[in-house]
Amino acid sequence: MTDAAPARTPRPAARILLVDAAARVLLFRFVVPGRAPFWVTPGGALDPGESYPQAARRELREETGIEADPGPEVARRLVDFVSVEGVPVTADERYFRIDVTAAKVDPAGHTELERRVMTQWRWFTPTELAAHDPDADGAIYPVDLAAMLAQTSGADEGESG
């Protein structure tokens, strides 16, 4: 008898590649009990009945305080992981690049869970992404973030901020 892998819950999610005028990308550092810290882009699961662009706009506002049109989807990833709530998921992540002139983050819209696990945020330059040591400060997801940013540069001609 073999142990079957736990069933995975589908998790549609909108993620934001938020890039400031200095070409830095915003990442949030998560510290979840029992797991190594990690960094991720702003974003999260869709609410029932919500489209990916609607979720991107909402998540951007809730997590950063920035109100902006997410523009077109620029990338898609299907990935298996365990959510911060401990649920095994298969995430259908759609990425939206938003270029902003201002780099101020307002965490007032964070949920109670986000306040507990999203311990900090910072803007990473492309050089810092390339030099980042996951053993020292936590992995960055998606793992190909630098390439994704390079491929989407100029994808969103409009600026917000």
Side-chain angles (χ1 to χ4, degrees), residues 19-142:
V19 180
D20 73 2
R24 301 177 304 169
V25 64
L26 180 69
L27 297 177
F28 286 97
R29 187 171 193 256
F30 279 67
V31 177
V32 179
R35 294 166 63 177
F38 57 94
W39 294 88
V40 296
T41 61
L46 274 63
D47 285 342
E50 195 173 41
S51 70
Y52 285 91
Q54 288 168 335
R57 178 185 283 277
R58 176 185 51 75
E59 289 285 347
L60 179 67
R61 182 182 62 253
E62 290 175 358
E63 293 187 359
T64 69
I66 297 170
E67 185 71 48
D69 179 0
E73 179 182 315
V74 297
R76 180 181 184 194
R77 297 281 184 274
L78 294 173
V79 62
D80 291 338
F81 61 88
V82 177
S83 72
V84 297
E85 297 92 347
V87 178
V89 299
T90 295
D92 181 354
E93 297 182 334
R94 311 291 176 95
Y95 287 81
F96 298 84
R97 180 175 172 134
I98 300 173
D99 290 273
V100 295
T101 53
K104 183 175 186 300
V105 174
D106 178 0
H110 287 191
T111 66
E112 183 180 324
L113 174 63
E114 289 168 338
R115 287 186 196 102
R116 284 196 319 266
V117 299
M118 293 168 62
T119 60
Q120 67 187 88
W121 60 86
R122 71 173 269 227
W123 296 87
F124 285 81
T125 67
T127 301
E128 289 168 333
L129 282 177
H132 181 78
D133 180 0
D135 293 328
D137 196 32
I140 291 176
Y141 297 108

